[in-house]
Amino acid sequence: MNTEEVFLEQLNDSQREAVMYCDGPALVVAGAGSGKTRVLTCKIACLLQQGYPPYTILALTFTNKAAREMKSRIAALTDESMAQRLWMGTFHSIFYRILRFEAAHTGFSPDFTIYDTGDSKSLIRTILKEMQLDDKIYRPALIQSRISSAKNALMTCRSYEQNREMVEYDMRAKIPLFREIYKRYQARCFQAGAMDFDELLLQTNILFRDHPETLLKYQEKFRYVLVDEYQDTNFAQHLIVTRLCERHRRICVVGDDAQSIYSFRGANIDNMLRFKDHYPDFRIFKLEQNYRSTQNIVNAANSLIDKNKGQIPKTVYSKNEPGSKIRILASYSDYEEGYLVASLIAELYMKEHARYADFAVLYRTNAQSRVMEEALRRRNIAYKVYGSQSFYQRKEIRDIIAYFRVIVNPHDEEALRRIVNFPARGIGETTLNKLLTAAAAHQVSLWTVLSVPAKYEVVINEGTARKLRDFRAMMEELIAENRQLSAEAIAERVVKRSGMAAAFFQERTVESISRQENLQELLNAIAEFCATRREETGEEMSLTDFLTEVSLITDQDTDRNDRDTDKVTLMTVHAAKGLEFDNVFITGMEENLFPSAMAKDSLHAVEEERRLFYVAITRARKHCTILYARNRFRNGENNACKPSHFLNDIDPRYIDRPEERTNRQTAVAQPDDRPFKSSRPSYVTRNLRPESSLKKTDPAGQESGEQSGFRTGETVSHERFGRGRILSLEGSGSNAKATILFEHSGTKNLLLKYAKLTILDE
């Protein structure tokens, strides 16, 4: 049996058909947990077996992790050398590579650098300051988003200026000078020899549009094109792929329209829904068997997503065990919701001998993590929050990488601004502002002015001029040495000569030691990168090669998949896409939270929110628990909440929804503290005893704790802490207190005059 037959035997019928069809356009609709990565890797291996040279296969992904995983699997199916020669990577990394090769057509240097989100926002702030615009009106995040949207729509600053509709929109939005900001932003990026992520897509489209001979070269080079997560592509990405395939039409796109959740990043689900419009002769393959989840989870998710109108029909099914039903639990408040989740995790951890890494708590917004973190800490449950600062975003790492960027591209303004006085060398903010003003006035780069300040009429004293000369001389030496040395060697010299090593080693604080360790870890990373590439290619890697690697790390390539430590994962649903856990808790399922209040006026937006909920449910392998709160603390006060109407979209056959119970003030659904236990006590509320019969005073005229309408042993409810039992009462009058053991919130000592307690009858 040959190699091809071996890996084809591992596929089900639908997967095998998708892999074997290579004669024309193919759309592979891959349901959640249906093995799409296996199909992609096997298809590429199959193409290699059929005689396609690896360098003629282009495979585009959305994360570096996905590309690495597929390369590793392909290497196992074929051989390492073939896998390494594939053109496989993220959209941005592949287009970055093409733009470097074709730099003569773009006007940029082949060594152009990449501005990440932080660099981009910093430049926008600088421009706003220069234009004396109010950053509360021209908010940097808003401006950055508008520039990104314009580029993804393939609108240059010139075409934006000429678009009457966009200009009128800016007038209505009270940002009439946006087009001027965009124009200056583009000019400054070009002067700095830098592109942001969106510019990579824009420039690739311009390259293929304006240079048909270059487009033809890549059309002939890439004989087969594959795209992963096609439902997440934006207009710019879709157009590039379409152009590359318009001659040979050998394209295979894989995705799930039911998991299209990134419209805020420009993703357009219509690219997938209307694939047939671009390729009328296409073949569609549906991967409908879910290998991940139990039957109840899959069926519940199906019944939910069936309510969407804009979708490609499919019936996902599971042959796994039926499993437990999805539990929908209510709590009094977001506070109790957190403690309820912590209790359930602790119970399952013991009951099923699970690891904490098998649990994930998902939420719609990052702000929801605070209460959850507090609850887990109080139960001594280890956790990690995805979205915390990644290694390459730490200040000292960004500082040293800024040195690398200036060595590769001295005109990189944001990197140069970052390092010119770090570590401190007496070049202050006043001097830097003079240099920046001169650069803007003469339309040259900051490095050009810094090299000869007098030529650009920058007035500085001799001491400052000497410091600038010393800095420039150091950098010019490093730039010259970089042409001769490997990335590993030049990095070590930069750490020493920049003064960063000395600055950090002078102090013995915890923070300083941490920075030292991080710098050493960066050097380790560069050494590992060089060693790995040396083993793969036999070549020495340059600093440019390393910067290419780290500059294109996406927010989905950070520590979310670090499962080495046994910790519960807390993350937004958006961040969870692509992951799976045995036990998933989806919190905050309330109207105006999930779905978001911003979605209520748009059917399209509501359907995307429903797809987001679908993604959340399908992350679970064994157990899925959905929670909502009757009250949520916002803006300094408790606000009443309604359960999300999405809960009613799930077929009741697949859910277990504990009976709702009401109290005196509001209809409050009581949470069962053991959602995987079939029996539970039932409670009803009753009014406080009539004041006339209960209110007695002690000899001093003060009402006692026992006489305030409550008794030791009674069950009560609290709007934030939930249900509890009174352990003791003490004090009198305004000082009367109750010690209450709450089921999920622990023991609290509450002043009765402030505590809004309701007595519950068992």
Side-chain angles (χ1 to χ4, degrees):
M1 186 179 293
N2 61 37
T3 306
E4 182 178 333
E5 291 173 335
V6 170
F7 66 71
L8 288 177
E9 272 200 347
Q10 301 172 0
L11 306 175
N12 64 35
D13 291 343
S14 299
Q15 292 172 334
R16 193 177 301 111
E17 287 179 16
V19 166
M20 294 300 294
Y21 181 74
C22 302
D23 298 330
L27 170 63
V28 181
V29 182
S34 63
K36 75 173 175 62
T37 302
R38 175 182 291 185
V39 167
L40 271 172
T41 53
C42 286
K43 191 172 187 71
I44 293 171
C46 187
L47 290 169
L48 293 170
Q49 292 281 349
Q50 291 179 12
Y52 280 82
Y55 52 82
T56 67
I57 298 173
L58 172 63
L60 297 166
T61 68
F62 274 86
T63 68
N64 294 298
K65 177 182 178 294
R68 287 194 299 268
E69 181 181 347
M70 283 199 284
K71 270 191 179 180
S72 175
R73 292 194 191 186
I74 293 165
L77 292 173
T78 56
D79 66 67
E80 186 74 31
S81 62
M82 293 185 79
Q84 290 303 325
R85 285 184 291 153
L86 291 165
W87 274 68
M88 176 180 285
T90 64
F91 282 89
H92 293 100
S93 65
I94 294 294
F95 300 156
Y96 174 75
R97 194 171 164 187
I98 290 173
L99 289 171
R100 283 186 62 190
F101 286 147
E102 307 299 336
H105 297 308
T106 67
F108 283 82
S109 161
D111 291 326
F112 70 86
T113 46
I114 302 291
Y115 274 3
D116 65 13
T117 303
D119 297 319
S120 172
K121 196 172 289 186
S122 174
L123 176 56
I124 289 169
R125 288 194 184 99
T126 299
I127 292 170
L128 294 177
K129 187 175 181 181
E130 291 171 355
M131 295 177 66
Q132 298 182 329
L133 296 175
D134 187 346
D135 62 7
K136 292 182 175 59
I137 297 174
Y138 289 86
R139 293 179 289 113
L142 170 65
I143 300 302
Q144 186 178 49
S145 175
R146 294 281 293 160
I147 291 174
S148 175
S149 297
K151 290 185 177 184
N152 286 327
L154 304 183
M155 298 181 70
T156 63
C157 51
R158 178 176 296 180
S159 61
Y160 193 98
E161 280 184 312
Q162 296 170 350
N163 188 305
R164 182 177 176 181
E165 183 181 346
M166 301 307 294
V167 171
E168 288 178 353
Y169 176 89
D170 291 341
M171 295 291 286
R172 291 194 302 272
K174 295 183 171 54
I175 50 171
L177 293 177
F178 169 78
R179 60 188 184 276
E180 177 62 25
I181 299 169
Y182 185 13
K183 186 177 179 179
R184 293 194 185 195
Y185 176 85
Q186 287 295 87
R188 295 287 277 277
C189 285
F190 187 77
Q191 288 171 16
M195 294 189 198
D196 59 27
F197 273 41
D198 299 307
E199 187 74 12
L200 293 171
L201 303 180
L202 177 61
Q203 287 296 329
T204 305
N205 270 294
I206 292 173
L207 173 69
F208 289 161
R209 182 197 68 191
D210 295 348
H211 300 278
E213 72 287 352
T214 302
L215 173 60
L216 178 61
K217 179 173 76 173
Y218 287 99
Q219 287 173 335
E220 293 177 343
K221 176 180 179 61
F222 300 131
R223 292 170 50 194
Y224 207 101
V225 177
L226 304 98
V227 185
D228 189 19
E229 304 285 10
Y230 196 65
Q231 77 281 349
D232 292 336
T233 54
N234 60 31
F235 174 67
Q237 292 162 331
H238 164 74
L239 187 56
I240 293 170
V241 170
T242 301
R243 280 177 167 155
L244 287 172
C245 300
E246 63 188 358
R247 290 174 64 85
H248 58 65
R249 300 174 67 79
R250 287 188 290 271
I251 178 174
C252 176
V253 302
V254 182
D256 183 6
D257 55 294
Q259 298 186 65
S260 179
I261 59 174
Y262 293 121
S263 65
F264 66 94
R265 293 180 181 171
N268 186 356
I269 190 174
D270 286 342
N271 292 343
M272 188 163 184
L273 298 180
R274 296 181 180 174
F275 185 79
K276 61 184 178 183
D277 297 342
H278 298 280
Y279 304 97
D281 56 336
F282 85 116
R283 285 274 306 274
I284 187 169
F285 302 91
K286 297 181 182 181
L287 309 183
E288 297 175 306
Q289 182 174 351
N290 182 304
Y291 291 93
R292 174 190 302 156
S293 308
T294 63
Q295 293 178 25
N296 273 314
I297 289 173
V298 170
N299 291 338
N302 283 347
S303 66
L304 168 74
I305 204 63
D306 279 348
K307 307 304 185 296
N308 272 12
K309 294 181 180 179
Q311 61 176 307
I312 298 172
K314 62 180 179 296
T315 304
V316 180
Y317 65 93
S318 171
K319 291 184 178 179
N320 296 333
E321 62 183 13
S324 59
K325 293 183 177 182
I326 289 180
R327 285 295 181 99
I328 299 179
L329 305 177
S331 61
Y332 280 113
S333 65
D334 53 339
Y335 188 91
E336 194 197 37
E337 179 185 61
Y339 281 82
L340 177 55
V341 169
S343 297
L344 298 175
I345 290 174
E347 181 178 341
L348 268 179
Y349 179 79
M350 297 297 293
K351 182 179 178 181
E352 299 201 353
H353 307 289
R355 299 173 65 242
Y356 284 134
D358 295 330
F359 294 86
V361 182
L362 309 183
Y363 33 79
R364 181 64 182 81
T365 65
N366 276 306
Q368 292 168 252
S369 75
R370 183 191 61 79
V371 173
M372 209 62 61
E373 288 185 68
E374 179 182 335
L376 292 173
R377 282 198 301 269
R378 288 182 179 272
R379 293 297 297 258
N380 292 319
I381 295 174
Y383 69 90
K384 60 181 178 182
V385 182
Y386 170 66
S388 57
Q389 199 173 43
S390 69
F391 178 77
Y392 287 103
Q393 292 300 315
R394 293 168 187 166
K395 182 184 181 302
E396 59 274 16
I397 301 303
R398 288 179 65 87
D399 288 335
I400 203 68
I401 285 179
Y403 274 96
F404 297 165
R405 284 166 52 179
V406 173
I407 289 169
V408 168
N409 171 20
H411 302 288
D412 186 329
E413 180 179 313
E414 290 304 311
L416 186 54
R417 288 178 60 185
R418 192 176 185 98
I419 67 169
V420 70
N421 195 42
F422 186 81
R425 49 178 61 91
I427 302 172
E429 195 69 24
T430 301
T431 300
L432 181 58
N433 286 334
K434 288 180 180 179
L435 297 171
L436 286 167
T437 300
H442 292 86
Q443 296 186 336
V444 296
S445 70
L446 177 60
W447 174 262
T448 301
V449 175
L450 185 147
S451 298
V452 279
K455 178 180 176 180
Y456 295 95
E457 301 173 343
V458 178
V459 179
I460 50 177
N461 60 43
E462 179 53 33
T464 300
R466 185 180 66 253
K467 293 167 186 173
L468 288 174
R469 286 195 298 270
D470 290 345
F471 171 73
R472 187 181 71 245
M474 176 188 73
M475 295 306 300
E476 286 174 341
E477 286 178 11
L478 290 169
I479 290 168
E481 290 174 0
N482 181 51
R483 300 189 184 101
Q484 310 296 325
L485 299 174
S486 68
E488 187 176 1
I490 193 68
E492 291 181 356
R493 297 196 182 195
V494 170
V495 169
K496 292 177 182 177
R497 289 197 203 169
S498 66
M500 287 185 69
F504 293 154
F505 277 88
Q506 282 176 355
E507 302 177 23
R508 297 302 298 169
T509 62
V510 173
E511 293 80 4
S512 181
I513 293 171
S514 175
R515 294 190 186 103
Q516 295 168 27
E517 292 170 345
N518 288 337
L519 280 183
Q520 186 56 54
E521 184 59 30
L522 177 64
L523 294 178
N524 293 342
I526 297 173
E528 182 180 343
F529 168 77
C530 290
T532 301
R533 294 298 177 89
R534 196 181 298 121
E535 290 173 359
E536 291 175 356
T537 66
E539 300 175 358
E540 290 293 339
M541 292 294 105
S542 69
L543 202 56
T544 299
D545 295 318
F546 179 72
L547 282 177
T548 300
E549 184 83 1
V550 300
S551 296
L552 295 166
I553 292 174
T554 71
D555 60 353
Q556 297 177 27
D557 286 309
T558 51
D559 61 352
R560 68 179 188 151
N561 294 312
D562 177 14
R563 306 291 289 279
D564 295 335
T565 52
D566 190 23
K567 296 179 180 179
V568 174
T569 300
L570 307 184
M571 64 202 316
T572 64
V573 183
H574 280 102
K577 185 170 175 289
L579 301 183
E580 55 186 65
F581 302 85
D582 282 352
N583 311 290
V584 169
F585 296 87
I586 306 168
T587 61
M589 284 305 304
E590 297 135 30
E591 285 296 305
N592 297 325
L593 181 55
F594 204 167
S596 166
M598 294 185 291
K600 61 185 178 182
D601 296 326
S602 165
L603 177 61
H604 180 84
V606 169
E607 291 206 343
E608 176 153 332
E609 290 285 306
R610 189 178 283 111
R611 292 194 294 268
L612 189 61
F613 188 23
Y614 175 85
V615 167
I617 292 173
T618 55
R619 298 312 92 201
R621 296 191 193 102
K622 296 180 179 179
H623 300 299
C624 180
T625 305
I626 302 169
L627 302 99
Y628 64 91
R630 289 291 188 180
N631 299 278
R632 191 163 291 274
F633 201 74
R634 289 178 179 173
N635 302 319
E637 60 182 22
N638 275 309
N639 293 280
C641 304
K642 293 181 180 179
S644 170
H645 73 270
F646 284 165
L647 299 178
N648 296 325
D649 289 342
I650 305 175
D651 191 319
R653 291 178 295 172
Y654 309 119
I655 61 176
D656 180 8
R657 196 166 186 170
E659 181 182 352
E660 292 190 354
R661 294 165 293 272
T662 58
N663 68 15
R664 176 173 62 91
Q665 298 170 332
T666 58
V668 178
Q670 296 286 345
D672 174 30
D673 59 333
R674 293 179 176 83
F676 298 102
K677 183 177 179 180
S678 59
S679 61
R680 69 180 78 81
S682 178
Y683 293 85
V684 296
T685 63
R686 58 185 168 88
N687 292 334
L688 291 176
R689 299 171 186 85
E691 186 175 346
S692 59
S693 63
L694 285 171
K695 207 169 193 179
K696 301 179 183 178
T697 58
D698 61 17
Q702 297 290 322
E703 185 184 341
S704 69
E706 284 282 2
Q707 296 169 336
S708 62
F710 299 98
R711 293 195 181 95
T712 301
E714 282 187 317
T715 300
V716 295
S717 69
H718 183 276
E719 66 177 11
R720 292 196 67 211
F721 305 137
R723 192 174 63 208
R725 192 172 298 277
I726 298 176
L727 300 180
S728 64
L729 294 159
E730 61 181 88
S732 59
S734 61
N735 293 319
K737 289 182 179 180
T739 300
I740 305 172
L741 175 60
F742 291 99
E743 291 186 352
H744 304 297
S745 308
T747 302
K748 307 288 181 185
N749 294 312
L750 305 178
L751 280 167
L752 293 177
K753 67 179 290 187
Y754 297 117
K756 296 178 180 178
L757 298 173
T758 301
I759 298 171
L760 302 176
D761 279 337
E762 297 190 28

